[in-house]
């Protein structure tokens, strides 16, 4: 992934059709459901894939947004996640941009919710009712946030609190600062 | 707890169709696609297994995209002529997916059932480094799947495969009846 210079010619260098993205993700979830049978196993796999993506996105984000400073508390972390990270990686709709609201801080200020009002992963998507109880369709987002923050030496827990047709609420809980760890590799 | 698509919200069909102008960052797509390939690779034994899986993903995407694009761009009128259909794939479909047309469309000299769609740099191959032992793996199989699904759903049964030739070439092999039908249609209008 190191070659940043060679973007495909012709297309608006760094954007791709949101629908292609949505449907590709849908193809992945459908395949996982076929392969793994249990929705809980699908959640786990999506989380793992998200984690791998997050590890790499963290570098990408920092390389392209030099204005981001070192975060000293979770409020700053939440701000960067909501206003920069989700916005640049889940794309900007021409009409409305995807941003997340940060809310529901707990008393110790180490736990918050990210609420995405329009979740680009879930456009066109209707989860059948027999799966709706267990399947976390957008679980990959949790994995990505966890992976990205781990690259910043922060261990967090992430899970989906609720997921309605177009909105998703992700809970992020700070666990500890990771000291001098070897950067996690692939898989 | 209310979940995706549960009763009160109404069905997804009650919502109006978006205008399809949304875009996402290419990095996000590239990384997601890479994860999908890694997953498919872990679950397949041979290169052709893997390509079949990618083709399958593409078909999933293509069969869903066709309706949306035909509705938006053509007022739900489908193409019935082969050449128009191929131009629709090369032009409209490609523009919707990648913001540009595919590079070339050619008809094979040897086989009247074979057409070639050529793309110099398919974006799905941009970041993929193919390992040496899997020399002829082409991740554009995913796009081949999209083409195949679109053509089949429009009643032009065919097989599409991706090859390394002149960049990436999608070989579209139509079934004989498609060409026979096309010729009969030409006779009629003459």
């Amino acid at each position: 992934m190191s070659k940043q210079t060679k973007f495909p010619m012709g297309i608006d260098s760094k954007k791709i059709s949101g629908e292609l993205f949505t449907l590709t993700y849908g193809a992945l979830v459908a395949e996982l459901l076929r392969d793994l049978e249990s929705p809980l196993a699908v959640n786990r796999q999506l989380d793992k894939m998200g984690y791998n993506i997050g590890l790499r996105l963290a570098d990408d984000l920092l390389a392209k947004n030099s204005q981001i400073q070192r975060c000293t508390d979770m409020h700053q972390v939440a701000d960067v996640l909501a206003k920069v990270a989700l916005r640049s990686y889940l794309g900007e709709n021409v009409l409305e941009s995807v941003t997340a609201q940060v809310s529901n801080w707990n008393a110790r200020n180490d736990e918050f919710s990210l609420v995405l009002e329009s979740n680009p992963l879930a456009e066109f998507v209707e989860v059948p009712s027999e799966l709706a109880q267990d399947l976390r369709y957008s679980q990959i987002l949790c994995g990505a946030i966890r992976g990205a923050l781990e690259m910043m030496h922060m261990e967090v827990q992430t899970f989906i609190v609720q997921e309605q047709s177009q909105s998703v609420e992700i809970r992020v809980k700070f666990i500890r600062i990771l000291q001098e760890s070897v950067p996690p590799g692939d898989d | 707890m209310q979940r995706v698509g549960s009763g009160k919200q109404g069905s997804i069909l009650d919502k109006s169709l978006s205008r399809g102008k949304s875009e996402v960052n290419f990095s996000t797509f590239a990384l997601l696609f890479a994860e999908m390939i890694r997953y498919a690779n872990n679950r397949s034994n041979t290169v052709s297994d893997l390509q079949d899986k990618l083709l399958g993903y593409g078909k999933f995407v293509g069969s869903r995209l066709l309706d949306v694009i035909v509705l938006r761009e053509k007022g739900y009128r489908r193409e019935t002529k082969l050449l128009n259909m191929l131009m629709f794939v090369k032009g409209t479909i490609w523009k919707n997916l990648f913001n540009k047309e595919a590079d070339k469309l050619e008809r094979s000299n040897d086989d009247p059932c074979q057409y070639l769609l050529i793309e110099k740099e398919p974006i799905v191959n941009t970041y993929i480094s193919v390992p040496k032992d899997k020399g002829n793996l082409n991740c554009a199989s995913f796009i081949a799947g999209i083409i195949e699904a679109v053509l089949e759903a429009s009643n032009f049964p065919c097989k599409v495969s991706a090859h390394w030739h002149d960049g990436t070439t999608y070989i579209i092999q139509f079934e004989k009846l498609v060409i026979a039908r096309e010729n009969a249609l030409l006779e009629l209008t003459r």
Side-chain angles (χ1 to χ4, degrees):
Chain A
M1 297 298 294
S2 58
K3 268 195 219 156
Q4 286 290 327
T5 45
K6 200 178 132 208
F7 277 111
M9 302 299 287
I11 89 168
D12 180 14
S13 60
K14 281 171 253 165
K15 297 279 179 189
I16 193 165
S17 148
E19 285 173 354
L20 177 62
F21 175 69
T22 307
L23 287 170
T24 306
Y25 183 67
L28 172 67
V29 177
E31 168 86 355
L32 291 180
L33 280 167
R34 261 195 309 277
D35 280 356
L36 303 177
E37 286 160 9
S38 120
L40 297 175
V42 173
N43 296 343
R44 269 198 301 281
Q45 179 66 29
L46 286 175
D47 194 81
K48 199 175 123 199
M49 291 173 140
Y51 176 76
N52 290 337
I53 293 175
L55 293 180
R56 293 167 168 215
L57 275 188
D59 277 344
D60 193 73
L61 182 78
L62 292 188
K64 288 177 185 163
N65 296 276
S66 52
Q67 82 279 11
I68 297 177
Q69 298 296 313
R70 182 176 291 271
C71 294
T72 50
D73 66 19
M74 282 309 275
H75 281 273
Q76 290 175 7
V77 173
D79 263 7
V80 173
L81 274 177
K83 296 196 179 119
V84 187
L86 285 168
R87 188 173 170 162
S88 41
Y89 291 110
L90 286 180
E92 287 145 85
N93 196 308
V94 171
L95 303 171
E96 52 192 299
S97 59
V98 178
T99 45
Q101 304 299 322
V102 180
S103 60
N104 293 339
W105 283 94
N106 70 347
R108 295 173 53 206
N109 275 332
D110 63 359
E111 200 177 332
F112 58 92
S113 290
L114 286 169
V115 183
L116 271 163
E117 285 304 335
S118 64
N119 174 10
L121 288 176
E123 205 194 347
F124 299 143
V125 175
E126 189 163 74
V127 177
S129 52
E130 68 268 24
L131 291 175
Q133 203 48 249
D134 294 327
L135 180 70
R136 300 284 180 271
Y137 190 82
S138 309
Q139 180 73 34
I140 202 162
L141 295 177
C142 293
I145 292 173
R146 192 163 51 83
L149 289 180
E150 188 162 321
M151 283 304 265
M152 309 298 148
H153 290 198
M154 274 174 276
E155 187 181 329
V156 293
Q157 270 179 0
T158 44
F159 59 94
I160 289 182
V161 182
Q162 58 168 350
E163 195 173 20
Q164 296 176 1
S165 59
Q166 279 286 287
S167 72
V168 57
E169 179 180 348
I170 299 169
R171 194 82 182 147
V172 181
K173 183 180 186 348
F174 175 78
I175 306 294
R176 67 196 174 100
I177 299 269
L178 299 166
Q179 300 291 350
E180 290 297 316
S181 60
V182 184
D186 289 359
D187 273 332
Chain B
M1 186 166 62
Q2 196 169 33
R3 302 273 309 154
V4 175
S6 56
K8 219 191 280 174
Q9 289 262 311
S11 141
I12 193 164
L13 297 175
D14 295 332
K15 286 195 313 191
S16 57
L17 185 63
S18 78
R19 304 234 307 278
K21 297 283 182 222
S22 66
E23 287 182 319
V24 295
N25 194 315
F26 180 65
S27 310
T28 324
F29 178 80
L31 286 169
L32 173 69
F33 191 64
E35 283 301 316
M36 287 171 77
I37 293 174
R38 169 150 52 180
Y39 173 80
N41 190 23
N42 286 341
R43 290 197 158 236
S44 48
N45 298 320
T46 64
V47 172
S48 77
D49 266 6
L50 174 54
Q51 301 215 89
D52 285 349
K53 275 192 196 295
L54 292 178
L55 197 88
Y57 299 155
K59 289 186 84 160
F60 178 99
V61 174
S63 59
R64 284 157 180 78
L65 264 177
L66 176 68
D67 278 342
V68 177
I69 294 178
V70 171
L71 179 63
R72 256 187 221 137
E73 307 269 339
K74 306 191 71 87
Y76 223 71
R77 280 175 63 90
R78 305 270 176 135
E79 300 291 353
T80 52
K81 297 226 174 67
L82 181 64
L83 196 58
N84 293 356
M85 186 63 209
L86 286 168
M87 292 307 288
F88 171 73
V89 171
K90 174 179 184 269
T92 317
I93 298 271
W94 239 255
K95 273 199 179 134
N96 270 276
L97 290 180
F98 313 117
N99 266 329
K100 57 159 188 177
E101 290 204 0
D103 294 319
K104 264 189 272 180
L105 176 67
E106 286 175 6
R107 182 175 174 173
S108 161
N109 287 326
D110 323 319
D111 183 352
C113 297
Q114 200 176 72
Y115 284 78
L116 310 170
L117 191 64
I118 297 165
E119 197 178 26
K120 294 261 183 271
E121 282 187 0
I123 50 161
V124 288
N125 281 345
T126 309
Y127 289 127
I128 310 291
S129 50
V130 179
K132 285 270 180 323
D133 57 319
K134 296 191 171 163
N136 47 8
L137 168 70
N138 195 330
C139 296
S141 287
F142 175 71
I143 298 180
I146 297 182
I147 304 174
E148 186 171 315
V150 165
L151 288 171
E152 287 203 317
S154 311
N155 200 16
F156 295 93
C158 62
K159 289 272 168 273
V160 183
S161 51
H163 301 266
W164 294 106
H165 171 72
D166 221 359
T168 290
T169 299
Y170 307 99
I171 297 187
I172 307 174
Q173 185 75 39
F174 287 105
E175 285 183 18
K176 289 209 169 61
L177 69 96
V178 175
I179 304 300
R181 189 181 63 199
E182 190 66 16
N183 290 339
L185 207 69
L186 282 176
E187 285 294 316
L188 269 177
T189 51
R190 187 173 293 166

